[in-house]
Each structure stands twice: as structure tokens, then as C-alpha cells.
């Protein structure tokens, strides 16, 4: 572990790390998460940005790729940066790229190899395969195969259809596997990664929520000194954990601002504000609902709604922040997946990082992002380490523009009331039926430009339909509709139609993402 300056001139305490070079595979982030689960720090870098002067690197993993190594557009690596310097593990494309570059041969397979297979070992006791079960199941997904290994390399495992399922170099610390150890269906996948990271690279497994909290608190104290810091709370897990961490480091020098844009869930503003106060945070709650309703009146186009809400938030936040004299920093709950530079299809590096509309620059504040190295599940583990209440840690994600993107059509306070009441019934029922933690995200959508006929008593009604949306997901990139029990759906439907004035019909959205999205706007 040692001290370094990063580009924002923050001091960071770093420990040994694995570098995962990304060649564009969809499972690259999963490799990162698996390595972190071994309590070893890792960073995902684009394939052409290997950090050459980083003394903490202990090993390199090469990811998969959507391309074939012999294609013109394929991504190549200058191996002189890593070969002979670090242990290397190539996964799928990574394994094929090494075979191809070092003098072997990779060819199209004809049919795409996809799904489960079983390993047959070609030698006893190779360190990368230590502890594997006989016929260990692995998960394949590739359209190419290595047909000849380079000189100085040997096969250590095969499957029925893939001769070089795993290979090793004779005199170098290099291994390649033509399957995906990072996915759940590769039974000994974690074992393989552990063999590489811990036994071969010497990872000490000292990256844990407790060590993260200790280090980050020390680092924040060094970085911030007696400076004042402002943080925008959203009620979500990331900004809440960031706030509690900063509070532990600098106490009352942190001021949190929680804005009610009138589009939060029912009672959320008061409930969450109370939670924050119980956590000892110095928090200012600003109820700006009326401003947002006024600016949104008559607007039904989703992107305009988003822009109005984004700009409105900045106005309110800036006005509040100006009252805090001497503030030098803006803290945000940015997490690692928000910042990973990913490769787009043309091989260009893209950054998905979005901070609050350029606020730090506009207000002349420096940016502080204490969670910027963490994956979402690690943020939750850190939250537990900080003894935050479980209901704050396990909250479903909620979009920044709030219920605005769940009211299709123009927004009025009355429609917000209808949606809040229906949503509250749905979320409470999920909790009561112990289903809340089984879904990634849930909410209700109000189709406010549609009315349909119903009967209530002797009267015909002509009212709004609402749609229940609940999905399972790992990262919101893809999602499936949650297979909630019929009895549960019937209960929610009855409660909504009986209790929410203005709604006479309840539908359940059974679309997955893609091609649909989680939100309706
Ligand atoms: P979609 O609808 O794209 O949503 O499948 C993926 C995730 O992103 C959230 N989401 C948003 N979050 N501002 C946000 O802060 C937005 O405009 C926005 N739109 C979607 C959505 O709730 C889901 O978790």
C-alpha cells in the first residue's frame, strides 16, 4: 500500500491490484466483480490504456471481445507492456489473442460454441486448475477456436468440442481459457480466478468493506482538511452511503441538501429526511414542489420533462449551496460503473460519467467522489459496515426525474397524487408479501392520456388505467419482468381500484428489456 496523487490531486491510499484489460466483452464488468468478491482490488481499463507506471499492479486479465482476432477491426495489444512483467490470464478472446499474437493459430469454428460443456484435464496439478471437480462444468460462448498453440505453450484441459479449452505457457506465468470463468454456470469459475489472483499473483485479499471504510475515512480527512463540503442527497443508496462515509470523516463540515421536486414517492420526503437526521447527518430539506409543478405544467414530451427537472434541480441546489459560506467541495455518490470507460462498437472509448449538469464547474467547487471505485453490491456492503438501516441499503433504484417519467402525458399535482397513492399500495404490498427484495425495481405507471370504462356499484366510471412494473435485473442494462404470484397481483389490483380515486383498471407489464425499457418514458 502506498500514497499516490491522482489527476484531481487527491491523495489516495492504494493497495495491490489486478488490471482487467477490456476488449469490449459484455462480461468484462462481471470479471471485475468476481475479482472484488475475492477481496482483491481491480481496475477495468480499455485494452489500449494499460497503466504502465503503476507499481501496485500484481497481474493482468484479458477480457473477451465481440470480434475475432483475425478481423481487421479486432483490438490488439502491445504485449511488451505486460509479457514477462506480470502473470497474465486470457479469457476467451484474451486467450485467442495471445495464441494468435505469439505464433499460434485461431480459426472460425463454423458453428458458434455456446452453452455448457465439461472439462477433461490433460495434466495433474496445474496451479490454475487446482481444486477443480472432475468434469468441471464450464460456460462457452465463442465463434472461433484455437487450432494451434504457440511454441512453448501446452494444453491443460479440453472439452468434447474444444481441444484447447485451457492452456498454459511452459516457462512463463501465462494462462488462457476459452470459456467464461466469470459467469455463474462455470462451476469452478471463481476457483480459477482465485487460483490466478491469490496463488499465482499473490493477492492478499485485504480489500474489504471494513478496510475500505478505514482507508477512505483517512483519505477523506487528508484530502478535505477543514474544508466545507456540500452533497446532494437523492434518497438512493449511493448518495446516502457517500453522505454517511463523509459524515464519519468530517462530521459537521458536511452539509447535505435533499430537494423535494414534488415527484418523489408518497411521504418519501419526510420519511427519508427523518432517516437522514437519525443517521446524524447535517441535512437541509428543501420543498420546491410548487416550482417544479409550475414549470412542468402542460409539458408531456419526456425529454423536455427531464430537462426542466434537471435545470430546476440545479437552480434549487445552487441557491441552497450558496447559503453555505466557504464551501469548497461538491460530493457525489458516483460509483465505479458510472465511470468505467467502455469501448463502443467502433473501438472508441466512451465514458458514461454524468455528474450533476456541470455543477462543480459552474459553482467553482472541487469534486469529491468517495465511492468512485465501488460496484453497487460493494456500496451496499459498505453501507452495512457503516451500520446504516437495511431499508436504506436495499432500496430499489428510483429515477432522478422521479414520478415525472411514470406519468405519461402532462403532469398535474392531482395526477401525482393518484400515482403516489397507487405506487404506495404496490410497494407496501411487495414488502408485506416479502417480495420487495426479490425484484430489482418496481413502480406504477399512470397512463394519464387514456381513460377506460368501468362499473362501480350502479355507476359507470371513466377513469385512468395504471400499469404495475416490476423487474428482475443485475445492473439495469437488461431486465426481465418479475414473475409475481397471481394472488399478489390480484390483491394489489383490488386495493388500488378500491382505494385510489381516479383509477378503475390495473395492468401488469410483461415486457423484458430489451426490447422494452424499465421505465415507460
Ligand atoms: P431504463 O428505463 O432505461 O432504465 O430501462 C434503466 C435504469 O435507469 C433508471 N432511469 C433513470 N435514472 N434519470 C435517472 O436518474 C433518468 O432520466 C432515468 N431514466 C431511467 C431507471 O429507473 C432504471 O433503474
Amino acid at each position: 500500500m502506498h500514497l499516490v496523487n491522482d489527476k484531481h490531486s487527491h491523495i489516495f491510499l492504494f493497495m495491490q491490484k489486478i488490471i482487467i484489460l477490456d476488449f469490449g466483452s459484455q462480461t468484462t464488468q462481471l470479471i471485475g466483480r468476481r475479482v472484488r468478491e475475492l477481496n482483491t482490488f481491480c481496475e477495468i481499463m480499455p485494452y489500449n490504456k494499460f497503466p504502465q507506471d503503476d507499481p501496485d499492479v500484481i497481474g493482468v486479465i484479458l477480457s473477451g471481445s465481440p470480434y475475432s482476432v483475425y478481423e481487421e477491426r479486432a483490438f490488439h495489444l502491445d504485449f511488451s507492456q505486460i509479457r514477462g512483467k506480470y502473470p497474465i490470464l486470457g479469457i476467451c478472446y484474451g486467450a485467442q489473442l495471445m495464441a494468435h499474437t505469439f505464433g499460434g493459430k485461431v480459426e472460425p469454428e463454423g458453428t458458434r460454441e455456446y452453452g455448457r460443456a465439461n472439462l477433461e484435464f490433460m495434466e495433474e496439478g496445474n496451479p490454475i486448475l487446482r481444486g477443480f471437480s472432475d468434469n468441471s462444468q464450464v460456460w462457452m460462448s465463442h465463434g472461433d477456436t484455437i487450432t494451434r498453440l504457440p511454441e512453448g505453450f501446452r494444453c491443460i484441459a479440453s472439452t468434447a468440442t474444444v481441444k484447447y479449452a485451457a492452456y498454459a505457457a511452459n516457462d512463463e506465468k501465462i494462462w488462457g481459457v476459452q470459456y467464461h470463468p466469470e459467469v455463474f454456470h462455470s462451476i469452478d469459475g471463481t476457483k480459477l480466478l482465485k487460483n490466478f489472483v491469490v496463488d499465482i499473483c499473490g493477492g492478499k485479499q485485504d480489500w474489504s468493506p471494513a478496510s475500505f471504510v478505514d482507508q477512505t475515512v483517512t483519505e477523506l480527512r487528508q484530502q478535505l482538511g477543514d474544508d466545507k463540503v456540500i452533497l446532494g442527497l437523492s434518497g438512493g443508496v449511493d448518495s446516502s452511503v457517500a453522505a454517511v462515509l463523509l459524515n464519519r470523516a468530517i462530521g459537521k463540515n458536511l452539509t447535505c441538501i435533499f430537494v423535494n421536486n414534488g415527484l418523489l414517492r408518497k411521504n418519501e420526503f419526510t420519511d427519508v429526511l427523518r432517516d437522514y437526521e437519525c443517521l446524524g447527518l447535517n441535512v437541509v430539506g428543501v420543498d420546491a414542489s410548487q416550482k417544479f409543478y409550475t414549470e412542468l405544467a402542460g409539458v408531456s414530451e419526456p425529454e423536455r420533462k427531464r430537462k426542466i427537472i434537471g435545470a430546476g434541480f440545479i437552480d434549487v441546489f445552487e441557491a441552497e449551496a450558496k447559503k453555505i459560506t466557504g464551501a469548497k467541495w461538491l460530493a457525489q455518490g458516483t460509483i465505479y460503473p458510472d465511470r468505467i470507460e467502455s469501448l463502443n462498437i467502433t473501438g472508441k472509448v466512451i465514458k458514461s460519467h454524468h455528474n450533476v449538469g456541470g455543477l462543480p464547474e459552474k459553482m467553482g467547487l472541487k469534486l469529491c467522489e468517495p465511492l468512485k471505485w465501488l460496484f453497487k453490491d460493494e456500496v451496499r456492503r459498505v453501507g452495512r459496515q457503516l451500520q446504516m438501516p437495511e431499508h436504506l441499503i436495499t432500496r430499489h433504484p428510483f429515477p432522478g426525474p422521479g414520478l415525472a417519467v411514470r406519468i405519461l402525458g402532462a403532469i398535474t399535482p392531482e395526477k401525482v397524487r393518484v400515482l403516489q397513492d397507487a405506487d404506495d399500495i404496490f410497494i407496501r404490498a411487495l414488502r408485506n408479501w416479502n417480495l420487495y427484495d426479490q425484484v430489482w425495481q418496481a413502480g406504477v405507471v399512470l397512463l394519464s392520456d387514456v381513460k377506460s370504462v368501468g362499473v362501480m356499484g350502479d355507476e359507470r366510471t371513466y377513469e385512468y388505467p395504471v400499469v404495475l412494473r416490476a423487474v428482475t435485473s443485475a445492473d439495469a442494462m437488461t431486465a426481465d419482468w418479475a414473475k409475481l404470484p397471481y394472488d399478489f397481483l390480484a390483491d394489489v389490483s383490488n386495493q388500488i381500484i378500491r382505494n385510489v380515486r381516479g383509477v378503475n383498471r390495473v395492468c401488469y407489464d410483461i415486457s423484458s428489456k430489451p426490447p422494452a425499457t424499465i421505465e415507460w418514458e
Side-chain angles (χ1 to χ4, degrees):
M1 193 190 296
H2 74 287
L3 292 169
V4 286
N5 284 317
D6 91 343
K7 53 182 177 256
H8 300 297
S9 74
H10 305 167
I11 304 288
F12 278 101
L13 295 162
F14 270 160
M15 49 175 81
Q16 37 172 226
K17 67 174 89 157
I18 298 286
I19 295 294
I20 298 160
L21 288 180
D22 179 25
F23 291 86
S25 165
Q26 288 191 351
T27 60
T28 306
Q29 279 203 28
L30 201 50
I31 304 173
R33 277 166 49 191
R34 294 281 173 266
V35 173
R36 294 277 185 94
E37 280 165 17
L38 296 168
N39 292 334
T40 304
F41 188 68
C42 64
E43 273 189 72
I44 298 170
M45 316 286 290
Y47 71 98
N48 54 359
K49 290 204 173 175
F50 182 78
Q52 298 197 50
D53 303 320
D54 189 335
D56 292 326
V57 178
I58 56 168
V60 182
I61 297 178
L62 312 179
S63 85
S65 171
Y67 300 134
S68 298
V69 290
Y70 45 78
E71 275 181 89
E72 209 170 294
R73 60 186 176 168
F75 305 133
H76 291 283
L77 177 65
D78 172 6
F79 275 96
S80 68
Q81 298 173 328
I82 58 172
R83 191 173 182 182
K85 296 179 181 164
Y86 310 100
I88 306 172
L89 170 65
I91 293 177
C92 271
Y93 179 90
Q96 292 165 356
L97 182 67
M98 288 194 288
H100 176 80
T101 312
F102 302 159
K105 197 164 175 69
V106 177
E107 291 181 273
E109 224 162 3
T111 55
R112 207 175 152 75
E113 190 73 27
Y114 188 79
R116 293 174 175 83
N118 296 88
L119 290 181
E120 190 187 331
F121 303 109
M122 297 295 124
E123 66 179 49
E124 289 279 311
N126 191 285
I128 202 92
L129 301 177
R130 195 168 292 146
F132 271 48
S133 44
D134 285 344
N135 297 317
S136 183
Q137 177 185 290
V138 294
W139 184 261
M140 301 287 200
S141 169
H142 48 83
D144 295 327
T145 196
I146 298 169
T147 50
R148 192 183 69 231
L149 284 176
E151 214 164 295
F153 286 71
R154 66 186 189 285
C155 177
I156 56 172
S158 305
T159 70
T161 51
V162 177
K163 186 169 176 198
Y164 303 115
Y167 68 74
N170 295 337
D171 305 312
E172 296 175 83
K173 289 189 171 181
I174 297 180
W175 288 265
V177 290
Q178 289 197 88
Y179 67 89
H180 286 281
E182 68 277 21
V183 308
F184 173 74
H185 303 285
S186 290
I187 300 296
D188 290 315
T190 302
K191 216 167 263 171
L192 180 124
L193 291 172
K194 184 171 182 209
N195 288 341
F196 180 71
V197 169
V198 180
D199 297 346
I200 294 170
C201 300
K204 291 201 197 90
Q205 297 188 282
D206 51 5
W207 170 262
S208 65
S211 70
F212 173 82
V213 170
D214 286 349
Q215 274 188 52
T216 309
V217 166
T218 308
E219 168 196 307
L220 286 169
R221 286 185 182 144
Q222 288 177 5
Q223 180 186 23
L224 303 170
D226 289 327
D227 290 353
K228 285 191 180 163
V229 180
I230 309 167
L231 180 143
L233 285 170
S234 68
V237 62
D238 300 345
S239 65
S240 304
V241 172
V244 174
L245 199 52
L246 273 154
N247 184 49
R248 185 169 285 196
I250 61 164
K252 294 294 170 205
N253 275 344
L254 172 71
T255 306
C256 303
I257 299 173
F258 182 33
V259 177
N260 183 4
N261 56 11
L263 300 156
L264 301 175
R265 294 192 136 119
K266 186 172 181 174
N267 299 330
E268 188 173 21
F269 185 58
T270 43
D271 289 354
V272 174
L273 208 50
R274 196 175 42 236
D275 278 339
Y276 286 147
E277 281 161 1
C278 288
L279 284 166
L281 297 180
N282 176 16
V283 52
V284 181
V286 189
D287 189 352
S289 310
Q290 215 46 56
K291 168 188 165 71
F292 286 89
Y293 292 153
T294 307
E295 291 175 0
L296 285 166
V299 178
S300 44
E301 208 264 307
E303 284 315 302
R304 263 197 73 208
K305 284 183 189 170
R306 279 192 167 80
K307 286 220 167 73
I308 290 170
I309 295 164
F313 175 81
I314 290 178
D315 286 350
V316 176
F317 189 85
E318 205 176 353
E320 279 312 310
K322 277 192 183 138
K323 296 180 190 163
I324 300 154
T325 46
K328 291 216 174 94
W329 297 84
L330 180 76
Q332 286 186 176
T334 316
I335 66 170
Y336 194 41
D338 298 334
R339 303 170 43 245
I340 294 175
E341 296 182 314
S342 50
L343 297 169
N344 74 6
I345 206 78
T346 63
K348 285 208 184 83
V349 173
I350 45 168
K351 246 187 166 172
S352 60
H353 182 45
H354 46 82
N355 56 39
V356 192
L359 252 186
E361 297 82 6
K362 198 166 169 223
M363 297 180 62
L365 295 172
K366 290 187 272 187
L367 196 57
C368 171
E369 298 175 312
L371 307 180
K372 67 183 192 173
W373 294 109
L374 301 190
F375 288 104
K376 191 89 178 181
D377 43 345
E378 293 174 313
V379 174
R380 295 204 163 105
R381 286 167 69 197
V382 166
R384 290 193 180 101
Q385 180 70 30
L386 291 164
Q387 294 177 326
M388 291 170 63
E390 198 58 23
H391 71 269
L392 265 185
I393 292 172
T394 54
R395 293 190 92 159
H396 290 167
F398 187 65
L403 299 180
V405 292
R406 296 183 183 165
I407 295 175
L408 273 67
I411 291 159
T412 64
E414 173 58 10
K415 289 182 194 173
V416 173
R417 197 268 314 154
V418 170
L419 181 53
Q420 280 179 334
D421 286 350
D423 177 80
D424 187 53
I425 289 170
F426 187 31
I427 300 297
R428 267 175 204 278
L430 282 167
R431 288 200 185 279
N432 290 342
W433 285 64
N434 284 329
L435 293 166
Y436 185 87
D437 292 330
Q438 290 176 35
V439 302
W440 165 268
Q441 185 168 5
V444 178
V445 180
L446 177 68
L447 306 183
S448 86
D449 284 340
V450 178
K451 282 194 172 174
S452 76
V453 176
V455 280
M456 204 167 277
D458 293 335
E459 303 262 315
R460 281 173 89 76
T461 59
Y462 192 56
E463 293 176 329
Y464 298 133
V466 294
V467 180
L468 310 180
R469 181 71 164 142
V471 296
T472 53
S473 177
D475 50 15
M477 300 291 286
T478 61
D480 198 4
W481 60 279
K483 314 293 184 295
L484 296 173
Y486 283 166
D487 289 348
F488 166 80
L489 292 170
D491 178 33
V492 173
S493 169
N494 285 338
Q495 284 194 59
I496 291 178
I497 292 173
R498 250 191 243 135
N499 298 305
V500 183
R501 214 169 3 98
V503 175
N504 66 352
R505 201 172 284 269
V506 176
C507 310
Y508 188 48
D509 182 349
I510 53 167
S511 334
S512 57
K513 171 184 179 176
T517 49
I518 296 174
E519 304 294 346
W520 273 50
E521 284 199 335

